[in-house]
Amino acid sequence: MKEYKTIRQAAEAEHTVQRSKFIAHIQRVESREEAEQFIAAVKKEYWDARHNVYAYVLKGGESRCSDDGEPSGTSGMPTLDVLLKQGVSDVCVVTTRYFGGILLGTGGLVRAYSKAAALALEKAGSVQVAPCAVLEAVVSYALADKLQRFLKESGCVIEQTDYAENVRFLFYLRESERTVFGAKLTDAFQGEIKPDFIKNEYKAL
């Protein structure tokens, strides 16, 4: 499990070149199947468009693109290049083009599709996703505030806090920092708090 960069949220961006309208949709996908489902959904929504160009990159290194009827190399690959240059993974972009009646030429198409992808990527924002340990700690009310401060100062992300007879914190931190965190926690609380390990999973930080 390696850390990677992906988009923060799904987004849509639109721009017009010589009366041709380019509408780019960007979304997180975690597999080829998810990418294909997203592509199919956009094509279904924009069934009347002449082209629905797409590109996607997965965190395992797999990538794919399609010109969807545009001249070879003028749309799918430029879209993919935008994703690769920004270093994002688990991302799919589908750009719909409504032809405006004026031919843009090879260079014009490359610029138009690249800009659409870049605009969508900018609107989506980016976030680092890292392999994290999800942990749980149950403490008395007397220790709750101190533990909460400690977790935040240690770079942990508190996902859930439950107040009952005691206070339960569900939190996560980078797996690579778990050993150091454990030592600091033991030192700060004299061994009174020993979080339970729940699982490892990718988390946005």
Side-chain angles (χ1 to χ4, degrees), residues 172-192:
Y172 59 88
L173 75 158
R174 280 182 170 87
E175 176 60 36
S176 60
E177 299 173 359
R178 188 176 165 191
T179 300
V180 173
F181 168 79
K184 289 182 178 179
L185 182 68
T186 298
D187 183 59
F189 291 89
Q190 289 76 52
E192 287 187 70

Side-chain angles (χ1 to χ4, degrees), residues 4-34:
Y4 66 96
K5 183 170 76 168
T6 190
I7 58 172
R8 185 175 297 278
Q9 61 187 2
E12 175 185 337
E14 179 181 321
H15 76 114
T16 302
V17 181
Q18 297 287 357
R19 297 206 299 259
S20 279
K21 183 185 293 185
F22 295 83
I23 309 168
H25 289 83
I26 188 167
Q27 181 169 297
R28 286 184 65 174
V29 294
E30 295 186 353
S31 65
R32 181 190 306 175
E33 291 72 25
E34 284 189 18

Side-chain angles (χ1 to χ4, degrees), residues 18-89:
Q18 297 287 357
R19 297 206 299 259
S20 279
K21 183 185 293 185
F22 295 83
I23 309 168
H25 289 83
I26 188 167
Q27 181 169 297
R28 286 184 65 174
V29 294
E30 295 186 353
S31 65
R32 181 190 306 175
E33 291 72 25
E34 284 189 18
E36 291 174 349
Q37 289 171 7
F38 176 57
I39 294 162
V42 174
K43 284 186 174 183
K44 183 178 180 180
E45 181 177 358
Y46 296 93
W47 58 271
D48 57 338
R50 179 170 292 193
H51 307 286
N52 284 289
V53 168
Y54 71 81
Y56 66 82
V57 182
L58 302 178
K59 61 177 170 288
E62 180 181 353
S63 64
R64 188 175 179 183
C65 64
S66 170
D67 294 310
D68 194 37
E70 293 282 26
S72 179
T74 62
S75 51
M77 186 55 70
T79 301
L80 180 60
D81 283 343
V82 170
L83 300 180
L84 294 175
K85 286 177 181 177
Q86 290 298 316
V88 293
S89 300

Side-chain angles (χ1 to χ4, degrees), residues 110-137:
V110 170
R111 289 189 294 274
Y113 279 102
S114 296
K115 182 177 180 179
L119 288 172
L121 192 56
E122 182 180 2
K123 289 185 70 174
S126 64
V127 65
Q128 287 294 124
V129 178
C132 292
V134 181
L135 304 167
E136 177 188 65

